[in-house]
Amino acid sequence: MARFSSLSFARLLLSATGALAALTVDVNDADSVKKAAALVAEDLMSLYTGEIPGLLPGPPPDGEYYMWTGGALWAAMLDYRSRTGDTQYDDKISEGLLFQRGPNNDYLSPNWTASEGNDDQAIWGMAALLAAETDFPEPDNFTYTSLAQNIFDEQSDQARRVNNGTCEGGLRWQIFFANNGYNFVSTIANVAYANLAARLSLQSGNKTEASAVEDTFSFLQSSKLIDGKYNVFDGAQAEDCDEINKLQFSIASALALESAAVMYNSTEGDKTWKDLVDGLTQRTLDIFFPSGIAKEIACEPSNCNTDMTFYKSFLQRSLASTIRVAPYTTDLILPVLKYSAAAAAKTCTLGDNGRMCGSIWSGHSDGQTGAGQQMSVLSALLSLLPTEAVAKTSNSSSNASGTNSTTTPTDGSSQPSDTAGSSGAHASVSAIVLLGSLLLTNFLLN
């Protein structure tokens, strides 16, 4: 007589109760999106061991993930917190942001100087700034904004930049002379710096930061790292920027667009910034959503390294931020975000739990899972939700910028269903009944 193995029985039970089911979501229902995002966030955080507080397992060769991905993780989780109101990960977020800040509060930890570049440092700074913007509880002795400010000040120093040639003024990829890549001008590093500067300027009204954004875009356009068609290229060799690497990565276009959109907002619709927002928005959608679904065109379907699997997270989040600070872009961006998020969620059928997310959102899955894949799908879902006011805890600070949106859902999203709570109770009862039936069946067959 046929027998169930214990593994087969367990998988049957999990599948029947929905624990081993693929992720499902209605992108037009805010409650559905939140529930799906909660599962993706849970699976993302399952990959964070905390062995080195703040960092995903690594850096290579000890693990897959470089230091910058830790900053990306906490930015994604802060975004999750601000758009869902879920504060269960607050302790881990706080530990991560604070442990890696370094002795000078600038995210230059002595442990990682051999591999840390200007882009890595700026990404950690953007996470700290998001903590301030979303009113995340701060420590007693400094603010998250001050961490971002320290990084901006250091990266503004001429010592970090090319001193002559047509690349003069460009921010180098690497901070330290001995590091491979010191003589490469990275567009990602430059637009991440601009992103910090633009958001600091919006918060403080400081002209120094605003001028830095203007200078960065002037450099990027004059050096043709952003060309007349709003293509955003990877970077160029110093000193003359005459050898441009014309690969295009979504993170660079995304951060350039978000920076321009923040400046459009802070200048109350200045034409220069509006033209950049218009051009970068359209080109970003054309290049990185070729079928309406996000795609990392430089490496998909089969040549993405671990770093590249994180880039779509920045793409989705920056597009959502663009809608918030330049609302006139909503009709162009939001339908694409919805269509792409629906496709992204459909990839979450992998792993032992049957809901880990994949790299390829259009076409055949490559079967690869990891933190980058989870983070990208999480950001795709969160891009459909408004920022919510999170309840203050006893140690919350009032130093945040106050840029939170109201709790009104983004256009196209609906309020949570009044009956959502009861469906969970019915599911639990059904699961108990089914469990009893399956246990009896297993007993009889054995």
Side-chain angles (χ1 to χ4, degrees):
M1 182 179 287
R3 294 178 180 268
F4 283 140
S5 70
S6 58
L7 178 60
S8 297
F9 176 70
R11 290 184 66 86
L12 176 60
L13 174 59
L14 290 170
S15 179
T17 59
L20 198 61
L23 195 70
T24 58
V25 61
D26 178 354
V27 296
N28 292 306
D29 186 305
D31 191 47
S32 175
V33 173
K34 284 184 183 181
K35 289 177 180 178
L39 295 175
V40 177
E42 178 184 320
D43 292 337
L44 170 60
M45 289 303 293
S46 74
L47 302 173
Y48 172 68
T49 65
E51 183 177 349
I52 303 176
L55 300 186
L56 289 159
D62 298 321
E64 289 186 75
Y65 303 106
Y66 281 103
M67 187 254 191
W68 74 272
T69 64
L73 171 64
W74 305 125
M77 294 308 296
L78 284 162
D79 195 37
Y80 169 75
R81 178 186 190 270
S82 73
R83 294 179 187 273
T84 66
D86 184 353
T87 60
Q88 67 173 300
Y89 302 107
D90 279 14
D91 288 346
K92 290 182 178 180
I93 295 171
S94 180
E95 178 190 52
L97 288 174
L98 299 180
F99 192 89
Q100 292 299 330
R101 72 185 190 277
N104 297 315
N105 287 339
D106 58 1
Y107 289 107
L108 280 185
S109 172
N111 293 328
W112 317 121
T113 53
S115 61
E116 186 172 356
N118 282 305
D119 50 351
D120 308 310
Q121 187 189 27
I123 285 169
W124 276 93
M126 289 190 292
L129 193 51
L130 186 58
E133 291 167 344
T134 57
D135 208 11
F136 188 72
E138 293 187 316
D140 295 331
N141 54 341
F142 60 87
T143 67
Y144 285 116
T145 298
S146 70
L147 301 183
Q149 186 70 53
N150 290 343
I151 293 169
F152 168 78
D153 292 342
E154 291 178 7
Q155 295 193 349
S156 298
D157 193 283
Q158 191 59 38
R160 296 279 186 104
R161 296 172 177 272
V162 179
N163 292 317
N164 48 55
T166 55
C167 269
E168 183 177 1
L171 185 63
R172 295 179 183 274
W173 177 21
Q174 293 296 312
I175 300 171
F176 303 103
F177 177 79
N179 286 358
N180 184 33
Y182 180 78
N183 288 319
F184 188 74
V185 177
S186 163
T187 301
I188 295 174
N190 281 269
V191 293
Y193 166 80
N195 190 278
L196 272 181
R199 290 160 60 191
L200 286 168
S201 174
L202 183 64
Q203 211 178 88
S204 67
N206 193 319
K207 292 183 179 179
T208 300
E209 284 81 5
S211 295
V213 188
E214 294 170 2
D215 291 345
T216 299
F217 273 92
S218 178
F219 163 73
L220 292 169
Q221 290 179 292
S222 65
S223 63
K224 307 301 182 186
L225 291 174
I226 298 179
D227 72 8
K229 295 180 179 179
Y230 300 98
N231 293 302
V232 181
F233 299 122
D234 181 48
Q237 289 296 129
E239 308 289 332
D240 292 325
C241 284
D242 54 352
E243 295 181 22
I244 294 177
N245 180 354
K246 292 196 172 183
L247 287 176
Q248 296 189 64
F249 294 105
S250 64
I251 183 175
S253 293
L255 293 178
L257 170 57
E258 183 182 1
S259 303
V262 171
M263 293 303 294
Y264 164 85
N265 183 286
S266 65
T267 59
E268 300 181 348
D270 179 86
K271 183 180 184 302
T272 298
W273 294 113
K274 185 179 186 302
D275 288 346
L276 268 168
V277 171
D278 292 346
L280 288 168
T281 298
Q282 190 61 64
R283 195 59 178 155
T284 298
L285 295 178
D286 288 346
I287 292 290
F288 297 105
F289 296 83
S291 60
I293 299 170
K295 180 178 182 179
E296 199 60 47
I297 60 163
C299 63
E300 289 187 20
S302 58
N303 293 312
C304 295
N305 63 27
T306 299
D307 279 359
M308 295 170 190
T309 64
F310 288 82
Y311 290 171
K312 285 189 287 197
S313 176
F314 290 85
L315 175 63
Q316 314 288 318
R317 189 162 65 247
S318 290
L319 285 167
S321 176
T322 296
I323 289 175
R324 181 173 62 82
V325 293
Y328 78 90
T329 63
T330 301
D331 289 345
L332 184 60
I333 295 174
L334 185 57
V336 177
L337 289 179
K338 285 186 176 183
Y339 189 70
S340 186
K346 289 179 181 178
T347 72
C348 302
T349 62
L350 305 171
D352 291 340
N353 65 358
R355 69 179 195 213
M356 296 298 285
C357 304
S359 305
I360 312 301
W361 299 356
S362 57
H364 296 292
S365 171
D366 61 0
Q368 299 297 309
T369 62
Q373 290 86 345
Q374 291 300 122
M375 198 180 301
S376 293
V377 174
L378 179 61
S379 293
L381 294 169
L382 296 176
S383 72
L384 309 182
L385 297 173
T387 302
E388 294 193 351
V390 178
K392 295 268 190 178
T393 57
S394 58
N395 64 336
S396 292
S397 166
S398 60
N399 291 324
S401 65
T403 56
N404 286 0
S405 303
T406 67
T407 55
T408 303
T410 303
D411 182 31
S413 298
S414 63
Q415 292 283 10
S417 168
D418 292 336
T419 60
S422 65
S423 64
H426 288 307
S428 298
V429 172
S430 298
I432 292 170
V433 173
L434 180 59
L435 173 59
S437 298
L438 288 171
L439 286 171
L440 177 60
T441 302
N442 190 49
F443 174 77
L444 292 174
L445 288 174
N446 285 278

